[in-house]
Structures are given as C-alpha cells and as structure tokens.
Amino acid sequence: MVGKKSGKALRDEGLERTDNNMALTSWPQVPAINQKNYYTDYLKRDDQLLAWRLQNEEARTKMTKKAKDHDRALAMPKVDTTEGDADADADATMEDAEETPAEMAGSKVIVIHMGSQNLRIGLASDALPKTVPMVIARKSATNESEEHKEPKPKRFKNDDGSELEPEKAFGPEWSSHFNRMSADLKVHMRQNKRRMLPNSKEMVVNYNRRTAPEIISEHNDPMRAEWTELSSPPPEYIVGQPALRVPDSSKPRYKLYWPIRNGWCNEKDYTSKMLLFLDISLIVEDAIKNQLHLTSKKDWTQYSCVFVIPDLYDKTYVSHVLEMLMREFSFARVCFMQESLAATYGAGFTSACVVDIGAQKTSICCVEEGMCVENSRVNLKFGGQDVTETFIKMMLHDHFPYADINLRRRHDFLLAEELKKSICTMNEASVSPQVFDFHLRVAGQDTRKYTFKAFDEVILAPLSVFEPSIFDNSEKIKGRRTLIERSVDIYDGLSNDPTSTAQSEILTAIAPPLPSQAKANAESLVATGGQATPSRSQHPNALSKVQDLDGTPRSSVTGSPVPENTGTPQAGGTTASAAVAAATQAPRPLPVEERDDIMPIFGLDNAILTSIAHAARSDEKKMRDFIGGIMVVGGGSLTSGLHLYLEERLQSLRPNYAKEIMIGTPPRDLDPQVVVWKGASIFGKLSSTNDSWIGRVEYDRLGSRLLAYKCMWAY
C-alpha cells in the first residue's frame, strides 16, 4: 500500500494544493428529486387562490376595523346628558341604522350596457336606466352628408347623371325582390280571408305623385325642434343627444362618429384604435357626470361597475374595456356579464331562448340554469336601423313625396326613425291604403308638412328580418380587423375568440364556395342538362339539421330566406341556369381566418331554430323547453304584432312542435329595451363577495389575465 506523500514530495512533483479549499462555484447545488415519493400541494388548497385570499383579507380587515371602533367607543369618556338628549341621540342612531342598508342596496354600483345606437347607464338601485345616444360629434371640415356624396339609401342614376324613376332607382334586383314580397303577402292575406283592394298600389302611387308639402312658418309650429346652440368658442366635441341636434349647416362643421357599429367596434370610420376607445370613454364619462350626477372623479373610486358584453364577444375589446374602467375611471371593482344571461335575470326566467333584436345587431342564445349554452350563440348583423332604411327605400319606390330624404343628414335620420316607430306594424288587419303625415323640421328653414299614403310597406319592412337579403349589407364588414387585431393564444398562436357551432353552421351555409368546387358542380349540372331534381335540398342549412332531429319532411319551408345572388325559379320548373346558380351555393367548412370576411345574415326564424337545435343536442325535453320559452327583447321587438307573426313562422317550420311554440314578453310590462340592463342591475345588487368581481389589487397584479378566472363562463 502506497503511503501518503509529504508536502515536499508533492511540491517537487507539482501536485501540491495551492487553493484555499473553496468550492468551484457559489451556485447552490440542488439535489435530485426522489421521483418515487414526489408530491406537491400547489393549487390544491383554497388558501392558495388569490380571490379566496383577498376575500379573507377583506373580511379580516372589516373585523379588525369593527373591533377597533368598538374599543375606541368604550375608551371614550362618558358625557352626562339629559334624558331628552339621550333619547334624541338614540333616535339619530336608529335613523342612521335604517339608512345604512338602503345605501348599500346597489347605490354604489354603476351598470353600463353599451349598444350600437344607445348607451343605457344607471345605478343598480335605480328602477330604470338613463338612455344616451352612443354618438359623439367632433369638429371637422365637412359633416357626414357632405363627406359622402351618395345619399343613403343609395340611388342609381342614368349615364348622364340624371335621376332615374323611383321604381328603377334601387336596381332591378331589389325591385324584383320587393315585388315578390308584396305578391307573397297578398297570397298570405288571401289565405287568411282578408280582403284587399286589387288596385291598392296604384292608389298609393298616384296619391303620392300629386301631393305637395304645406309650408308652416317657424313661429306657427308649436312642436318646433330645439337645436343645439354652439358656445363661443365652440367645443371640440359634443356627446349624446345634443350631438344629434347640431345643425348640419353649423359653423364650424361637426361630424358624427358612432364608436360601435353592428355590435362591433367601428373600424371603418376611425383611423386609430386609441381614438376609437377615447371616444367610448368620453361618451361614458359624460353620461356618468351628467346623467348620474357624479361630477367628481375622486368619488368614482367608491363605486363598482357591472359591464354588459355580447354573448359572442371579442376578447381584445373586453380587455380594452377592462383597462378603461380600471385605469381611467378608477372603479373599485368591475364585473362582466353576458347580454342573454342578463336578460333572463331581468325577466326572472331560469331557462329561455333569448332573442335580442337591437338597432344593428340581433343576438340569439339559449340560457339554461344561469349559464349561456355556448354552442347556441348566434350573432346576426341586422336590426332596427336596417328595417328603417328598407322602409324608406320601399316608400321611395312608391313615390314618397319627400324624395330628397337622406339618412346621412341628422334631421332625416331622426325623421325616419320616428316614421318607422309610428307607422310600421306586423298586424295584417292594418294593411290597407292609409293616409299619414309628418313634419319636416330643418334648422334655419320653415317647417314643411307632408301628407302621403302607404300600403303594404308598413308590414313588408319589418318582415325583412325574415328575408334579410333585401337589406343593404355592402359596408357592414368594411374595415373589419384593420384596427383591432384578433385575440390569439400565446402558446399556439391560434385565435381564441369565442365560437359557437350554431354560428359556424350559419356561416358555412351562406359562405361562397371554393372556385374549384363551384366549377365542378356547375359542369356536372350542365352535363346533365340541368334537368335532374335532387331529392334533398342543395342548401344544407341550419333548418335541415333541425328537421333531421325527428324526421320532419322538408316540404314545409314556407318563407325561408332566398340565398343572395341566386335566381328565383319559375313555377314551371328549374331552368339550367337556376340549377347552376343553386349548385354554386353549396356550403363548405370555414377556417377561423375566413369567418370575419362573411357577413352573418340569416333569416330570423331559421336562426332561432338553429340556436335551439344546438342547445338541445337531440334532447327532446330540452327542445320542448327552449322552443316553448322564446323571449324576444330589444328595441326591434317593439313592432306591433311581431310575436304572433314569429310564432306563425316557427309553427310552419316546426309543425311537430306547433302546440309548444310560445313567444314570451318580459313580465311586469317591462320595456323590452331595458330588460338586459335591468338584469345586470339585479346582479349588481347581489352580494359583492362572489368570485366574479375583479378588484384593483388583483388587476394590478395580473391584468387582463384575471378574466380567465373571474368570468362567470368559460372565458
């Protein structure tokens, strides 16, 4: 055995240790984990959740404060008082105790429901909200009617620039669609034993051609409009109802901006995302100060906010709104709620199929036991304003005496909305040539009184929601995704915006085919001479799936919407050209990137059945519950006779459920326009200790990532 060498020998051999016995690195050495006995309790206890810890911390803080106040009250020296003073103090204490609960019942919660045309805002303790137009007027070189040379609705002209006859002003395709709807209405009314004069249309046209307006001087007009007077110097912007009352000929000019269009952020009229959300914040801030009378921003830190969002929302939009409410408005807490769920809260229903017809958007969603059924969500881009524009086009087609009407002008827009509300109906008993009148009030001009006749236009315009291809859908998706990018997953880079199988099926049914698929279908039909009649529909849309649930025959398709860009088959049979056009409309599956390029336009009755079919998922009981609990809300539902007509349409499409189909209205005579806001206010009155509230401390730590944990649904 070799002995230990001395230090001298090691030094001679060059092996002597010369360091200071320190380790080679100061980095701590982590021992390997014993994988057999490995265990962790990460996120397995309630006290490891941030929301749970913050609630307990808040409860402990309140308990500590109460104990300190109690000890401080005991330590205060007792003051001798007379018996009367003691009774007065006791009465004051009881009054304070009675006022405290009343102040806590939603008086510190602001409820906001933002729509395309109106903003509804109020405290949760209010019975009804304040309604403010969702518009802002900014200084500009030209107003909106001067900037767009073409009037709205758009009229075609001759090659030399002269005006066309009213019957030809909107193109032959639109005129044929209008005439077909008029003919179908006559057949329908004749089947219902309702008498109609054979020359009613000619009577209306002849009357409107020869009528002339009556001039009324301004001092003789008791209902003259109040226009917004500009201060000196004129303000940079005007918000809400005063913005709509700024004269078109004002000096300086003002241009109207609508930040929300068709339920989306208005990316067509804005050039900057920052300016878009700035206008939204200015409109909301002005409403809080002037409608709720909370003029000091310092007091806003004591208030919470319930914000209503669409059922099918954009995550980027929700994140920006959360940042606005937390950073700019400094609310103490914020909670998001979906529109359909809020509608069931407002109506007091536990399960329902909610149909919300707004100004520019119609949303359909089935709610079951306090949760929106994800796959039943449908979002259609038409509403009450489309009905207004179509009504004006129909009246102009029949020689409306005020032929110069332009919905881009503010007074004409307000006039058209007033005419639609007062004239349009869906009661067949009201369809007859009738005389109406209106007053045209323009700033700086004498009032003109017009008299006109209307016939079937009053019912065909609201009926357009069942045949939305008659609407002008050319600019509804213009500018989409130019300012606000699509939300994507941070791991795979794919879009994570909410989707629904019902919406996807509708988009697939109306999507244009691939060029190769369209060519193959056309060649096959041309080879057969276009004579073959398929046993099944060439348009596998949502209705076909609904009918497959119980084997309902496809013969009952009365009133189904006609696909755009297709010829109407003649009664004698299907021509080769019509068959080729039908084949080119075959649907195909859509990738996520193409869905934004397709305008979701679909008949209201078929869309409702699509939503219910995806919510029931072949469950007979659920199908009967949803189809018997359809609730129609929104401003577009105020048309007289809509509920009965919708019931009739659904019964013709689903004869097996004719007895179960029922269209409900909000209970207690509640205005359908405020049902969603009312439901959100009811939620705001509930205990604020639930997990859906986002506090300032949480937001400062995690930001918008909290939405995945705080929303009442799968965000």
Side-chain angles (χ1 to χ4, degrees):
M1 184 176 180
V2 181
K4 183 179 181 181
K5 291 186 178 182
S6 63
K8 183 177 180 299
L10 292 174
R11 185 171 60 253
D12 294 341
E13 296 178 7
L15 299 176
E16 183 183 13
R17 186 182 179 94
T18 59
D19 59 4
N20 54 3
N21 293 327
M22 295 183 65
L24 296 177
T25 177
S26 61
W27 193 263
Q29 299 294 323
V30 180
I33 296 175
N34 184 358
Q35 304 250 346
K36 293 182 179 180
N37 300 322
Y38 178 68
Y39 175 78
T40 179
D41 60 353
Y42 177 65
L43 291 183
K44 291 184 178 180
R45 298 197 310 268
D46 289 342
D47 57 358
Q48 293 176 337
L49 299 177
L50 179 62
W52 192 88
R53 293 204 310 270
L54 290 176
Q55 289 180 13
N56 283 358
E57 289 176 8
E58 184 179 357
R60 283 196 298 269
T61 302
K62 290 182 179 180
M63 189 185 308
T64 304
K65 183 177 181 300
K66 184 177 180 180
K68 288 182 178 179
D69 293 343
H70 181 69
D71 294 341
R72 190 179 295 111
L74 293 178
M76 291 288 291
K78 295 182 179 180
V79 181
D80 294 337
T81 58
T82 61
E83 184 177 355
D85 293 339
D87 294 341
D89 293 341
D91 293 342
T93 304
M94 292 185 65
E95 289 179 0
D96 294 341
E98 292 176 357
E99 291 178 359
T100 301
E103 293 177 356
M104 296 301 292
S107 60
K108 294 293 184 181
V109 179
I110 299 176
V111 182
I112 301 176
H113 181 207
M114 191 181 298
S116 301
Q117 183 170 340
N118 291 313
L119 167 70
R120 309 197 191 278
I121 187 171
L123 298 176
S125 56
D126 295 340
L128 294 173
K130 304 292 191 300
T131 301
V132 179
M134 192 67 191
V135 63
I136 182 171
R138 288 188 173 274
K139 280 185 179 179
S140 178
T142 58
N143 57 40
E144 55 272 16
S145 61
E146 295 171 345
E147 181 179 356
H148 299 85
K149 300 302 182 182
E150 294 181 346
K152 184 179 181 182
K154 180 182 177 181
R155 285 89 146 175
F156 294 102
K157 295 184 178 180
N158 290 315
D159 296 337
D160 57 356
S162 60
E163 300 289 339
L164 284 170
E165 289 292 324
E167 296 88 352
K168 305 176 182 178
F170 305 108
E173 184 180 353
W174 190 91
S175 297
S176 63
H177 196 164
F178 175 38
N179 293 331
R180 182 182 58 79
M181 291 178 63
S182 181
D184 292 344
L185 177 65
K186 289 182 180 179
V187 173
H188 186 269
M189 294 185 65
R190 196 173 296 117
Q191 290 175 350
N192 292 343
K193 309 300 182 183
R194 295 191 181 278
R195 297 180 58 186
M196 295 181 63
L197 295 177
N199 58 343
S200 299
K201 183 71 71 172
E202 290 76 9
M203 292 171 54
V204 170
V205 171
N206 293 333
Y207 183 89
N208 292 338
R209 275 177 175 171
R210 65 174 184 267
T211 184
E214 175 187 352
I215 307 299
I216 302 176
S217 57
E218 187 175 359
H219 63 274
N220 288 332
D221 184 9
M223 303 295 292
R224 56 181 176 271
E226 297 293 335
W227 300 99
T228 301
E229 296 183 2
L230 302 179
S231 60
S232 181
E236 287 294 327
Y237 61 89
I238 304 173
V239 176
Q241 187 65 33
L244 291 177
R245 285 298 181 182
V246 175
D248 291 87
S249 59
S250 63
K251 297 182 179 180
R253 292 284 195 271
Y254 281 84
K255 181 182 176 182
L256 297 185
Y257 289 91
W258 302 82
I260 307 295
R261 296 275 84 180
N262 300 111
W264 287 328
C265 290
N266 185 2
E267 301 173 78
K268 180 174 72 74
D269 297 332
Y270 283 87
T271 58
S272 168
K273 179 172 65 174
M274 181 182 67
L275 183 60
L276 170 62
F277 283 98
L278 174 62
D279 283 359
I280 292 177
S281 64
L282 289 176
I283 295 173
V284 176
E285 179 180 347
D286 181 83
I288 294 176
K289 290 181 178 180
N290 296 328
Q291 302 297 329
L292 305 185
H293 307 293
L294 301 176
T295 56
S296 177
K297 272 195 171 184
K298 296 180 180 179
D299 299 335
W300 296 3
T301 56
Q302 305 173 13
Y303 287 80
S304 303
C305 178
V306 178
F307 195 93
V308 182
I309 61 174
D311 303 323
L312 281 175
Y313 51 86
D314 287 344
K315 287 190 174 183
T316 307
Y317 165 73
V318 178
S319 300
H320 278 86
V321 169
L322 177 61
E323 182 180 4
M324 176 184 70
L325 298 176
M326 281 294 185
R327 300 296 186 200
E328 297 184 30
F329 296 163
S330 301
F331 288 134
R333 291 174 177 176
V334 175
C335 173
F336 290 99
M337 194 174 190
Q338 291 173 295
E339 286 179 339
S340 296
L341 179 60
T344 57
Y345 269 71
F349 297 160
T350 56
S351 298
C353 177
V354 180
V355 182
D356 188 353
I357 307 176
Q360 299 180 357
K361 171 183 67 71
T362 297
S363 62
I364 307 168
C365 180
C366 294
V367 180
E368 183 179 17
E369 300 298 335
M371 291 293 291
C372 293
V373 182
E374 293 184 358
N375 288 330
S376 69
R377 295 176 291 184
V378 173
N379 194 306
L380 307 175
K381 299 306 179 184
F382 61 81
Q385 282 193 13
D386 294 282
V387 175
T388 302
E389 182 179 352
T390 304
F391 173 66
I392 296 299
K393 291 175 73 172
M394 290 179 176
M395 292 304 306
L396 289 172
H397 185 275
D398 292 342
H399 293 261
F400 190 55
Y402 180 33
D404 194 35
I405 188 170
N406 182 5
L407 298 185
R408 299 190 192 277
R409 292 195 291 254
R410 295 152 204 170
H411 55 270
D412 286 349
F413 170 74
L414 297 175
L415 172 65
E417 287 286 327
E418 181 182 352
L419 286 177
K420 181 197 69 173
K421 293 178 182 177
S422 59
I423 296 177
C424 287
T425 180
M426 295 186 76
N427 292 323
E428 295 180 356
S430 303
V431 180
S432 61
Q434 300 182 56
V435 179
F436 302 96
D437 61 66
F438 65 91
H439 293 76
L440 176 62
R441 298 179 174 91
V442 184
Q445 300 181 15
D446 289 337
T447 302
R448 283 174 284 174
K449 180 181 179 181
Y450 286 87
T451 304
F452 67 98
K453 274 190 176 183
F455 175 46
D456 55 0
E457 303 89 355
V458 298
I459 189 173
L460 291 181
L463 278 179
S464 301
V465 297
F466 302 104
E467 296 192 26
S469 58
I470 199 174
F471 294 147
D472 183 8
N473 305 314
S474 57
E475 296 188 355
K476 292 184 178 180
I477 59 174
K478 188 177 180 180
R480 179 70 171 155
R481 299 298 183 193
T482 56
L483 297 180
I484 300 177
E485 63 282 357
R486 184 185 292 108
S487 177
V488 296
D489 190 89
I490 61 175
Y491 296 107
D492 54 18
L494 300 177
S495 175
N496 59 0
D497 280 331
T499 58
S500 123
T501 56
Q503 183 79 359
S504 299
E505 183 178 341
I506 288 177
L507 293 179
T508 302
I510 61 180
L514 291 172
S516 59
Q517 181 184 0
K519 183 178 180 180
N521 293 338
E523 289 177 352
S524 63
L525 277 178
V526 171
T528 59
Q531 300 298 326
T533 303
S535 59
R536 291 187 175 270
S537 173
Q538 294 296 319
H539 309 279
N541 55 13
L543 179 60
S544 62
K545 174 171 284 191
V546 177
Q547 292 172 334
D548 283 339
L549 293 178
D550 59 349
T552 304
R554 288 176 173 77
S555 58
S556 178
V557 291
T558 304
S560 58
V562 178
E564 296 183 5
N565 302 325
T566 60
T568 303
Q570 301 298 323
T574 304
T575 62
S577 59
V580 172
T584 58
Q585 292 294 320
R588 60 183 175 87
L590 290 177
V592 177
E593 292 75 12
E594 294 186 22
R595 291 176 184 170
D596 290 335
D597 299 331
I598 299 175
M599 173 57 58
I601 296 296
F602 208 64
L604 181 63
D605 46 358
N606 287 338
I608 292 174
L609 294 178
T610 305
S611 174
I612 293 177
H614 285 269
R617 300 182 64 179
S618 303
D619 189 332
E620 185 72 17
K621 184 178 182 304
K622 287 185 178 180
M623 171 67 74
R624 296 186 181 277
D625 290 341
F626 287 132
I627 211 167
I630 301 174
M631 181 177 63
V632 183
V633 299
S637 67
L638 294 175
T639 305
S640 176
L642 171 64
H643 299 80
L644 294 177
Y645 198 91
L646 181 57
E647 275 189 9
E648 182 182 346
R649 300 276 299 203
L650 295 177
Q651 288 170 356
S652 65
L653 294 175
R654 299 291 285 150
N656 289 3
Y657 294 97
K659 295 182 179 179
E660 287 83 0
I661 292 176
M662 182 177 296
I663 309 296
T665 58
R668 300 181 297 276
D669 295 331
L670 189 63
D671 186 357
Q673 299 178 94
V674 302
V675 172
V676 175
W677 182 93
K678 189 65 177 178
S681 68
I682 292 173
F683 180 82
K685 296 178 185 178
L686 302 178
S687 175
S688 60
T689 58
N690 59 65
D691 295 343
S692 59
W693 290 97
I694 300 175
R696 295 198 56 81
V697 177
E698 300 168 290
Y699 184 77
D700 292 338
R701 293 181 185 178
L702 298 177
S704 60
R705 289 177 294 171
L706 272 170
L707 292 169
Y709 304 97
K710 289 291 187 175
C711 290
M712 295 178 284
W713 65 94
Y715 182 75

